[in-house]
Amino acid sequence: QKEVEQDPGPLSVPEGAIVSLNCTYSNSAFQYFMWYRQYSRKGPELLMYTYSSGNKEDGRFTAQVDKSSKYISLFIRDSQPSDSATYLCAMSGANAGKSTFGDGTTLTVKP
Amino acid sequence: GAGVSQSPSNKVTEKGKDVELRCDPISGHTALYWYRQSLGQGLEFLIYFQGNSAPDKSGLPSDRFSAERTGGSVSTLTIQRTQQEDSAVYLCASRISGVGTDTQYFGPGTRLTVL
């Protein structure tokens, strides 16, 4: 079993929809939780970074961490066609060293 | 502004040949990572450099893979005697840490194809 499992998708939603992207993990040592967006043939781009349980909001994006359930989510409000990309969750231990990534969820937002 | 750069952007090689992939991190970033990404997959950690500490090599898949970081800046990933299963995109990232921030920036990757 992988340390990080990500809902595989793909997801296709209409413009303006609320999108929920989810990952579960098994390693209780993970302390840092990240979401990356990756456009085709590009490197991943860090979207959100959280430390510990709770919510963090940045514009249309909200990252949620529930350590008791070992579950993290990324919510995208008022989704736009430009949000169409692959979203990767990632986690690392207390020293923020190497990160373990999910396999990614491909999102398509249709105009 | 200067981000993380990688070269070459594409590399096609024959099975059994050695290849070198280069990463130029953002100036001042103390940490540097190498990952590889196979088609439709997430990122597989390979190696991590942090300042002058010994690198974390725990992700290197075999002894054909090695990496070095010279002068705390540029890094080279070397794959000896390449195999077809080495075909992937090799991504480099650098990170700066500080109070309230821990941001990792990725380069565009090197797409390696082993024929």
Side-chain angles (χ1 to χ4, degrees), chain A residues 11 16 38 42 44 61 96 99 110:
Chain A
L11 283 178
Q38 186 175 26
K42 301 286 188 183
F61 298 90
S99 295
K110 296 184 176 180

XYZ file of all heavy atoms in Angstrom, chain A residues 11 16 38 42 44 61 96 99 110:
68
model
N -11.356 14.294 -13.245
C -12.543 15.062 -12.920
C -12.853 16.024 -14.057
O -11.939 16.648 -14.595
C -12.320 15.892 -11.655
C -12.368 15.217 -10.296
C -12.071 16.229 -9.201
C -13.710 14.563 -10.071
N -17.285 27.427 -12.872
C -18.041 27.940 -11.743
C -18.307 26.916 -10.651
O -18.728 27.276 -9.548
N 0.068 21.110 -11.802
C 1.004 20.818 -12.885
C 0.281 20.874 -14.219
O -0.615 20.064 -14.481
C 1.657 19.446 -12.686
C 2.751 19.136 -13.699
C 3.474 17.835 -13.410
O 2.935 16.924 -12.785
N 4.719 17.723 -13.873
N 4.953 20.723 -17.936
C 5.575 21.719 -17.081
C 5.914 21.086 -15.745
O 5.395 20.021 -15.391
C 4.622 22.895 -16.840
C 4.180 23.616 -18.088
C 5.272 24.482 -18.654
C 4.741 25.335 -19.799
N 5.822 26.134 -20.396
N 5.755 20.932 -11.572
C 4.712 21.277 -10.604
C 4.936 22.663 -10.002
O 6.072 23.091 -9.816
C 4.865 20.196 -9.531
C 5.585 19.071 -10.191
C 6.490 19.720 -11.182
N -8.826 29.118 -3.384
C -8.334 27.813 -2.944
C -8.358 27.703 -1.419
O -7.984 28.628 -0.713
C -6.892 27.593 -3.433
C -6.749 27.582 -4.928
C -6.507 28.753 -5.633
C -6.860 26.392 -5.634
C -6.385 28.737 -7.017
C -6.729 26.371 -7.019
C -6.495 27.549 -7.700
N 10.914 18.686 6.997
C 10.552 19.176 5.658
C 11.576 18.756 4.617
O 11.924 19.520 3.741
C 10.400 20.697 5.662
N 9.735 14.838 0.065
C 8.283 14.793 0.045
C 7.806 13.534 -0.643
O 8.436 13.044 -1.569
C 7.721 16.008 -0.701
O 8.016 17.199 -0.015
N -14.756 22.889 -17.853
C -15.309 23.184 -19.173
C -16.025 24.521 -19.162
O -16.820 24.786 -18.267
C -16.257 22.076 -19.592
C -15.573 20.728 -19.759
C -16.535 19.666 -20.278
C -15.801 18.364 -20.534
N -16.720 17.311 -21.053
